Structures are given as C-alpha cells and as structure tokens.
Amino acid sequence: MNLREFIATARDKNWLVVIEAEADPDLEMARILSKHDGKPVLFTRVKGYPYPVVAGICSDRAYFALALGVSPERLLFTLAEALAHPVSPPLVESAPCQEMVEAKADLTTLPILHHLPGDAGPYVTAGVLVVKDPDYGRNIAFHRLLRLDERRFAARLVEGRGTHTAWSKTPGDLEVAICLGAPIQVLIAAATSPSKGVDELSIAHALAPTPLVKCRTKDLEVPAECEFILEGRLTHQMVAEGPFIDLTETWDIVRQQPVIEIDCITHRRQPIYQALLPGKLEHKLLMGLPREPTIYAAVNEVCDCRNVYLTAGGMSWLHAVVQIAKRHPDDGPRAIEAAFRGHTSLKHVVVVDEDVDLFNPAAVEWAIATRFQANRDLVVLDDQPSSSLDPSATHVPGQKSRTSKMGLDATIPWLAPDGHWRSEEERAAFWRVEYES
Ligand SMILES: Cc1cc2nc3c(=O)[nH]c(=O)nc-3n(C[C@H](O)[C@H](O)[C@H](O)COP(=O)(O)O)c2cc1C
C-alpha cells in the first residue's frame, strides 16, 4: 500500500490526526508528533514549504496489518512467508515518483524536521537508501541523514550492515538513491536483514505489489510509487554526524561518517514529505517487527513455536516473549537459547505456554508469578555479544559490545519437585480459572 492510499484509509477509519494550523518543521512538528505518538499525523500547512508532511504511519501494528491486509496477530507469519519466498519485482517504464524532475537539486526545498534543540541539525529519518553491492547486488536500508547544506547529507552507516559493506569495498563514490515516502511494504523490507545477496525489494514485492523504475541519473532501481527520490553518490569524504536521539531515547554520540552528494531530485506531483519521530513507537516497531520472524524460525528448529512478540517496553528490540506449544520438559530452555540465536541483539526473553496472551504484559507477568522458579527456570548467559544500543552494555570502541543475557522459562513445569513428570491433569492445575462470559 502506498503512502497516499494509507493516508486515505487512515482518514476513513478516523485514525488520522490532521493538523491544519501552520506548523514549523524546525522543532515545532516534532513536539506535536510526540504528543500524538501511536497515531498517523498529517500537517497540511507547513511553515516555509509547499509540501504537506505526514508521520506516524508505522506507529502501530494495526497500521502494518491494514497495509498488508492481515490481522495484527498474523503479521509475523506474513513477514515470515515473504522472507522465505521473495518475489522479483517488475520494472516499469514510467512511474509516479518521476512525474516531476527538479531543475536544480536543492535539499533546502524539503521540509526536513529539526527534532530537538540538541540535534546536530535537520535530519531525514524515513529515508530508505538503495545501493548496489559489487558482489551481492541491491541492498535497501534506513539511514538517518543529517542535512549539511543544499546538496549534501552526512549518513549514519552502522558498520558491517549492507550499505556500509557496499560502501567500504567501493574505492570511489557509490551510487545511491534515497526514497522518501516509500510504500509501507518497502519500509518494512528496508528494516529486514536477510542473508547477503537476498534483495529486500523482492521481499517488499512478496508482501505487496512493488513495481520499480530506473533512476534518471543512476544505475539503480527504486519503488515507482515513492513520493520523492533523491539520486546521488555516497562519497568517502567524512564529516561529524550527531548528536542525535537513538532508539533507546538516549543521545547517540558524534562520529565521523560519510557524505552523500545529491545530483538529482524527482517527485510525484504535489508530493508528501514523510517524517518519522526517532526513538518513538514508529522507529521501535519498524526495527522490531522484522526480527520476530527470525526468532520464530530459530525457535521452531528446536520446538513448536506459536508466536513471538518484541515488547514495547524493551524498545521492540531487546525484550521478547516467545509462545510455545510445550511437548517436552526442556522445551523452555531450548526455546530461550534458540531465541538468542534468532535475534543476536536480544537481551531478555520470557517463554510462555499457548494459554498465555503474549501481547498482554500483565498476562506474561502472571505466567512468571505462577509458573516460574528462579533457581530452576532462569537461564543467565554471561559476556555475550550485545546490541550497540543498550547503554548498560560494555562498549569498547572498535569492538562488538558485550552484555549478559537472561531467559525466563515461564511455561508450566512438567517436572514436579519430587522428580516425577506431572500428568496432564496435574498440569491443568496451573491454568487460569475463567468466569463464564
Ligand atoms: C527507522 C529506522 C532507522 C534506522 N536508522 C539507521 C541508521 O541511521 N543507520 C544504519 O546503519 N541503520 C539504521 N537502521 C537499521 C537498518 O535499516 C537495518 O539495520 C537494516 O536492517 C539493515 O539491513 P542490511 O543489513 O540489509 O543493510 C534503521 C532502521 C530503522 C527501522
């Protein structure tokens, strides 16, 4: 579903917050957006710019579900299917994202938000970068972009990820296309990290039709239905990037990062600029959703996994609840170990039975309260590779961060304290008694 279709549907469903009073991209919009976190917001009058601004379109599971035509509980399975069976997208001759070609590429014509007074400057936060790796082919990923002047951005490239790898092995400039206002399936696909050589635009196309078009000045293909395309080059000139708020809602540090030079801007007629409030729900959900299927796949290798949820409190990144159909007394600890393999940034995981609603934090806590014994069901792993995003981990420059990890097996214990296997009847004593409805 493209951005315009989503805005129209969200309006019909009364989800859309429309701000008709003039709003300033310089600090004011971010303040308004943080008050409406979890809702799509459309600013129709933008101070100093002709384009409307939309944000928050990925800030709830219900919005992804709507865009992909499934229920929120089934999202994991839809994503898992697309990751397992990518479909190569078709190439079209003419595309909405090229309806207009700007005579001069000038980044100051875009309503790029300045989010917080402490930020290094205005940042593009919903930009999806398309590059071609000389060995592995096309890669798409989100990268925050600090606008430096009319033609240049500083791009934050996390080391070892697709864009960074392609850039590192290219001696000269690497061609890049920045997609703004991309269809929702492209936003999800850009947040996945499939194996090298798997094209994320084919994952997007497996989720929903995503025709591509050739860029005007670069040998790259981009989703035809984006709002803006910025064509340019990722150079080896380095500049200071940051400070900027991170997923953890803490400040990320200043680093030397590469400069992108923009050569050409194309867009739809009356384009809509897409913003995304860093650190808030939309950022967290986009990060986390694509990891749920990878945890699911890893746990399924060792037992019968029913669902996975990366919780909001764990920033949709560090904490998971894994639901299993238990068939063996050791399924809980096996699931814990596999979950850490399925998402290496995961720090804490709780495993629950099928009767526990994994999306409800109080239900998960109830399972811990009634089924878990720390001396028996707690798994602690010391000195593990960690997410770079956890401020409490050990961070040494140039090295992978380290952390300790914890798994709680909150499934019904099959082994009784005297060592006998509990019968089905004995296990049923752990079920929650429900009143008649
Ligand atoms: C909203 C959002 C913002 C992100 N910002 C960055 C960023 O600034 N730099 C970066 O390297 N990765 C960023 N990421 C993560 C990449 O998109 C993610 O690592 C992607 O899965 C990389 O895939 P790849 O390994 O195939 O390149 C962001 C992800 C999201 C959802």
Side-chain angles (χ1 to χ4, degrees), residues 125 139-144 156-163 190-194 200 276 282-283 286-287 291:
T125 48
N139 186 80
I140 71 166
F142 281 94
H143 292 278
R144 69 184 190 219
R156 167 69 183 129
L157 306 189
V158 174
E159 294 72 13
R161 293 267 174 79
T163 315
T192 63
S193 275
E200 285 117 332
L276 180 156
E282 188 169 18
H283 188 179
L286 273 168
M287 288 282 289
R291 307 296 154 184

Side-chain angles (χ1 to χ4, degrees), residues 6-16 18 20 42 44:
F6 179 82
I7 293 171
T9 318
R11 199 191 286 270
D12 288 348
K13 287 189 166 285
N14 269 332
W15 289 346
L16 189 68
V18 181
E20 279 167 358
L42 179 68
T44 55

Side-chain angles (χ1 to χ4, degrees), residues 164-286:
H164 183 267
T165 316
W167 170 75
S168 313
K169 59 180 148 181
T170 308
D173 293 353
L174 178 69
E175 292 193 333
V176 62
I178 301 163
C179 309
L180 303 178
I184 294 174
Q185 68 273 14
V186 175
L187 301 176
I188 302 172
T192 63
S193 275
S195 322
K196 293 219 179 312
V198 176
D199 171 28
E200 285 117 332
L201 283 173
S202 300
I203 295 173
H205 189 59
L207 288 169
T210 309
L212 308 181
V213 70
K214 276 248 171 238
C215 281
R216 286 298 172 104
T217 63
K218 304 286 174 269
D219 181 24
L220 293 168
E221 305 82 33
V222 288
E225 294 186 17
C226 293
E227 293 291 324
F228 289 91
I229 303 292
L230 317 181
E231 302 181 9
R233 290 162 288 112
L234 190 48
T235 71
H236 285 270
Q237 186 200 342
M238 306 296 275
V239 287
E241 186 277 325
F244 194 62
I245 183 173
D246 216 327
L247 184 73
T248 43
E249 296 168 74
T250 53
W251 287 107
D252 198 3
I253 56 166
V254 180
R255 300 177 184 84
Q256 288 293 306
Q257 293 287 289
V259 166
I260 293 181
E261 289 185 11
I262 300 299
D263 300 314
C264 172
I265 299 182
T266 72
H267 57 82
R268 295 179 79 129
R269 269 189 208 98
Q270 300 175 322
I272 304 165
Y273 178 84
Q274 188 197 349
L276 180 156
L277 203 57
K280 291 297 184 183
L281 283 170
E282 188 169 18
H283 188 179
K284 293 185 162 97
L285 270 176
L286 273 168

Side-chain angles (χ1 to χ4, degrees), residues 206-412:
L207 288 169
T210 309
L212 308 181
V213 70
K214 276 248 171 238
C215 281
R216 286 298 172 104
T217 63
K218 304 286 174 269
D219 181 24
L220 293 168
E221 305 82 33
V222 288
E225 294 186 17
C226 293
E227 293 291 324
F228 289 91
I229 303 292
L230 317 181
E231 302 181 9
R233 290 162 288 112
L234 190 48
T235 71
H236 285 270
Q237 186 200 342
M238 306 296 275
V239 287
E241 186 277 325
F244 194 62
I245 183 173
D246 216 327
L247 184 73
T248 43
E249 296 168 74
T250 53
W251 287 107
D252 198 3
I253 56 166
V254 180
R255 300 177 184 84
Q256 288 293 306
Q257 293 287 289
V259 166
I260 293 181
E261 289 185 11
I262 300 299
D263 300 314
C264 172
I265 299 182
T266 72
H267 57 82
R268 295 179 79 129
R269 269 189 208 98
Q270 300 175 322
I272 304 165
Y273 178 84
Q274 188 197 349
L276 180 156
L277 203 57
K280 291 297 184 183
L281 283 170
E282 188 169 18
H283 188 179
K284 293 185 162 97
L285 270 176
L286 273 168
M287 288 282 289
L289 270 189
R291 307 296 154 184
E292 291 173 355
T294 64
I295 298 173
Y296 176 77
V299 176
N300 248 327
E301 283 175 16
V302 296
C303 62
D304 186 357
C305 185
R306 290 305 164 102
N307 214 334
V308 176
Y309 174 46
L310 281 162
T311 65
M315 298 168 302
S316 292
W317 195 246
L318 297 181
H319 291 178
V321 184
V322 169
Q323 187 188 52
I324 60 169
K326 190 163 167 172
R327 311 232 187 278
H328 186 276
D330 289 341
D331 278 354
R334 282 187 200 153
I336 289 170
E337 189 250 334
F340 289 135
R341 261 204 321 276
H343 173 37
T344 50
S345 292
L346 192 63
K347 182 174 164 190
H348 298 143
V349 58
V350 182
V351 182
V352 297
D353 292 295
E354 282 177 285
D355 63 326
V356 176
D357 176 4
L358 78 166
F359 296 106
N360 177 353
V364 174
E365 194 179 343
W366 172 85
I368 297 171
T370 60
R371 300 177 180 181
F372 169 82
Q373 284 293 310
N375 65 337
R376 183 190 61 200
D377 303 318
L378 180 67
V379 177
V380 176
L381 303 171
D382 198 20
D383 194 26
Q384 299 291 305
S386 149
S387 166
S388 61
L389 294 171
D390 174 7
S392 73
T394 305
H395 304 286
V396 178
Q399 292 178 23
K400 179 84 180 148
S401 305
R402 311 293 292 181
T403 190
S404 59
K405 302 197 173 194
M406 173 173 80
L408 285 75
D409 175 10
T411 57
I412 294 171

